[in-house]
Amino acid sequence: MTRILFATSEVFPLVKTGGLADVSGSLPEALCRLGYDCQILLPGYPAALKAAREAGSQRKARFRFGQYDVSLWQTQVPETQVLLWLVDCPALFDRQGDSPYQNENGEDWWDNAHRFQLFARIGAMMALGQLGLSWKPDIVHCNDWQTGLIPVFLHNDKHAPATVFTIHNLAYQGLFSHETFRALGLPDHLWRFDQLEFHGQFSFLKGGLVFSDAITTVSPSYAREIRTPEFGYGLDGLLEHRSHALTGILNGIDNRYWNPKSDQHLDFHYSPDDTSGKAQCRAALQRKLGLEVNGAPVLGFVGRLVEQKGLDWLLEALPALLEKGCQFAILGSGEARYQQALQHLARDWPEQLSLTLGYNEALAHEITAGADIFLMPSRFEPCGLNQMYSLRYGTIPVVHGTGGLNDTVLDPGEVPVRDANGFVFREPNAHGLKRAVNRALEARKHRKTWQQLQQNGMTADYSWKHRAGEYAALYNKLRHNQ
């Protein structure tokens, strides 16, 4: 049985800031169902350790690493059989707040480089069998910049397992100063343009891109996009150079957790065979958010309120759509300028626009089920999960044609209606967004067309079943080449 160590900084339901947590909570379980022994390595954040203690975790190792006391605890991801290893280092990971990377004021922890270098060191030691454990992986699967140094520490060690590095979002690179590089005690020979140095800074992410055996990203379209200057964030040349090792594998979703037929967060349920419950979810959402309960179209948005998500386009488009009678259910948090602009609109249109700032898992499900249309006007989107959630819930997505949105949403203006499931705008501005929304609103007036789009979305397979198989094939190829 092939053993996979899945190193990540987030796992749902223990810690989540975005899609990385959802993937880390569902892909390892899907791999286990395929017969792989996939175990997760996660920093020992307070909430994760608390859940581990309540589940009867076991401490498998205790040691001192440099100036830090470290323990390694073994437990399981809640409600799964997936084994989870927690790197317990109170000096680095016992921090208050909802974010694993920032304090309550939204500022990055000053020692993030130290925190995730230690996490990477422990991951590498575990991969090399240096912690006295009875389990040693054949493959180490690293995720995003927080794990980028693991392939660096394993490079050139003849006993090291093969490494896979997945880019979930190239915009977040883990950049630090040269002084930080020196403070971490990293070898001087790594400070080169073709290794960890990046325009005078030290890049965790670049370590994963340069030193891993295989690179993946979360959709085929994004794998092509990041090799261009527009989306490459200065790393397009390196990614083009390593294109032979780069694969785009579309993310999947957890069909058990995201299922309108059994969703624990909904008071009413429905399925492709009987969608009557969706109207009840819609009315319940309107009542909960203080929107007028009428037949007006409800448009939902769930995500970070940042430029990447197209918030400036959305804000420019909102007044005209509100004038047309549309209602909006918006959930998220982010940049103050966007939050303040949305708060102003919510005050002016209290019966048509509901704004909830922050993270609320239950409300995310309620919006996904209760809205008629789901908006994702992202400037770029490596994969996107919310559009797949909305498709599964019969909520028609309107998206910008980029990254994984381009790979999952099919527009009736570009394919036959029998194959379509949403609306795509290719003009990257507010005008393009408004045109796509208006096309969706027009389609909603035609019951048969709308029901066809809903059925196409609800009956498609967005699960990890096939996508996990693509990772399995990659792992097998790497093991064969070792």
Side-chain angles (χ1 to χ4, degrees):
M1 180 183 292
T2 301
R3 298 176 296 275
I4 313 296
L5 179 62
F6 194 92
T8 179
S9 60
E10 300 181 27
V11 174
F12 180 81
L14 297 173
V15 56
K16 176 178 176 177
T17 68
L20 170 61
D22 289 331
V23 172
S24 300
S26 53
L27 173 56
E29 186 177 12
L31 288 165
C32 288
R33 289 198 296 269
L34 291 178
Y36 288 77
D37 180 6
C38 186
Q39 303 187 18
I40 300 173
L41 184 69
L42 179 73
Y45 308 118
L49 287 169
K50 180 176 182 291
R53 285 192 293 269
E54 292 172 352
S57 62
Q58 294 181 309
R59 182 160 56 192
K60 295 293 187 177
R62 186 177 185 178
F63 53 93
R64 189 160 179 85
F65 187 87
Q67 61 181 309
Y68 301 111
D69 291 317
V70 181
S71 295
L72 198 62
W73 296 86
Q74 186 188 66
T75 183
Q76 290 179 331
V77 177
E79 300 182 21
T80 77
Q81 298 300 310
V82 179
L83 286 178
L84 173 68
W85 298 88
L86 294 172
V87 179
D88 180 17
C89 180
L92 295 179
F93 297 121
D94 187 3
R95 307 285 169 88
Q96 299 305 308
D98 295 329
S99 171
Y101 319 120
Q102 299 177 326
N103 62 25
E104 292 179 342
N105 297 320
E107 302 162 333
D108 288 352
W109 291 111
W110 71 271
D111 58 351
N112 272 346
H114 297 267
R115 300 169 76 218
F116 291 105
Q117 187 216 204
L118 179 129
F119 181 62
R121 288 284 189 189
I122 303 307
M125 292 170 69
M126 190 171 177
L128 293 170
Q130 296 175 346
L131 296 179
L133 306 175
S134 60
W135 187 86
K136 183 175 180 292
D138 302 300
I139 303 284
V140 180
H141 189 153
C142 306
N143 294 272
D144 269 354
W145 74 261
Q146 295 87 352
T147 63
L149 292 186
I150 295 179
V152 178
F153 296 148
L154 294 178
H155 187 64
N156 284 337
D157 191 308
K158 63 181 181 180
H159 301 294
T163 52
V164 177
F165 185 79
T166 296
I167 307 163
H168 294 264
N169 191 334
L170 196 66
Y172 299 97
Q173 299 185 13
L175 294 176
F176 300 93
S177 67
H178 183 235
E179 288 74 19
T180 299
F181 173 88
R182 296 183 63 84
L184 294 179
L186 295 169
D188 288 341
H189 68 81
L190 292 174
W191 188 258
R192 290 166 45 102
F193 77 94
D194 57 349
Q195 297 196 26
L196 300 186
E197 187 271 336
F198 181 71
H199 298 287
Q201 292 183 288
F202 157 43
S203 171
F204 269 64
L205 182 82
K206 194 172 178 182
L209 301 183
V210 171
F211 291 98
S212 59
D213 296 301
I215 305 168
T216 72
T217 192
V218 291
S219 72
S221 286
Y222 194 57
R224 294 188 293 271
E225 289 172 353
I226 58 178
R227 292 161 56 188
T228 68
E230 182 180 1
F231 295 99
Y233 285 88
L235 292 166
D236 47 290
L238 170 58
L239 288 162
E240 181 64 31
H241 174 70
R242 296 220 64 201
S243 60
H244 64 283
L246 174 63
T247 307
I249 301 176
L250 195 67
N251 279 339
I253 65 174
D254 187 335
N255 275 353
R256 294 167 302 171
Y257 188 68
W258 288 93
N259 184 349
K261 192 174 182 178
S262 58
D263 193 322
Q264 62 180 345
H265 297 296
L266 304 181
D267 292 329
F268 306 97
H269 297 98
Y270 56 98
S271 69
D273 299 324
D274 180 5
T275 60
S276 58
K278 184 163 177 58
Q280 294 173 296
C281 289
R282 184 175 180 278
L285 179 69
Q286 290 173 311
R287 285 191 294 269
K288 178 172 184 171
L289 298 181
L291 302 174
E292 187 176 351
V293 181
N294 58 24
V298 178
L299 285 69
F301 175 93
V302 177
R304 288 179 291 116
L305 306 180
V306 296
E307 186 178 19
Q308 181 211 326
K309 299 297 183 179
L311 261 293
D312 52 338
W313 299 344
L314 180 59
L315 281 166
E316 187 178 335
L318 273 172
L321 295 171
L322 287 164
E323 290 283 357
K324 292 185 70 167
C326 293
Q327 296 182 358
F328 290 85
I330 298 175
L331 168 64
S333 61
E335 296 180 38
R337 54 176 173 156
Y338 295 132
Q339 293 188 170
Q340 291 164 5
L342 287 168
Q343 285 172 322
H344 181 76
L345 281 170
R347 285 193 297 267
D348 289 346
W349 301 83
E351 294 185 343
Q352 286 180 241
L353 195 156
S354 167
L355 171 65
T356 305
L357 295 177
Y359 170 72
N360 187 318
E361 186 71 20
L363 183 56
H365 284 247
E366 290 166 336
I367 292 174
T368 303
D372 299 295
I373 294 168
F374 196 92
L375 301 176
M376 289 188 70
S378 306
R379 274 182 164 74
F380 69 94
E381 193 65 61
C383 176
L385 296 174
N386 283 323
Q387 83 278 14
M388 290 188 271
Y389 299 151
S390 70
L391 286 166
R392 182 147 169 78
Y393 282 60
T395 302
I396 306 302
V398 172
V399 306
H400 179 217
T402 185
L405 303 176
N406 198 50
D407 293 329
T408 50
V409 180
L410 303 175
D411 193 300
E414 299 174 351
V415 300
V417 173
R418 67 176 181 272
D419 299 320
N421 58 15
F423 293 86
V424 182
F425 65 96
R426 312 230 172 246
E427 190 180 353
N429 52 41
H431 179 66
L433 169 60
K434 281 190 288 188
R435 286 183 57 191
V437 170
N438 285 328
R439 287 195 296 121
L441 294 173
E442 188 61 32
R444 184 173 174 267
K445 297 176 183 177
H446 302 278
R447 185 177 179 85
K448 286 188 177 180
T449 298
W450 196 253
Q451 288 180 334
Q452 180 70 66
L453 296 176
Q454 288 180 312
Q455 285 293 313
N456 291 345
M458 294 183 76
T459 56
D461 184 2
Y462 306 103
S463 73
W464 276 108
K465 182 178 179 181
H466 300 296
R467 283 78 183 266
E470 293 184 58
Y471 278 107
L474 176 62
Y475 299 152
N476 292 340
K477 179 180 177 182
L478 290 173
R479 289 205 69 190
H480 178 75
N481 292 336
Q482 277 186 302

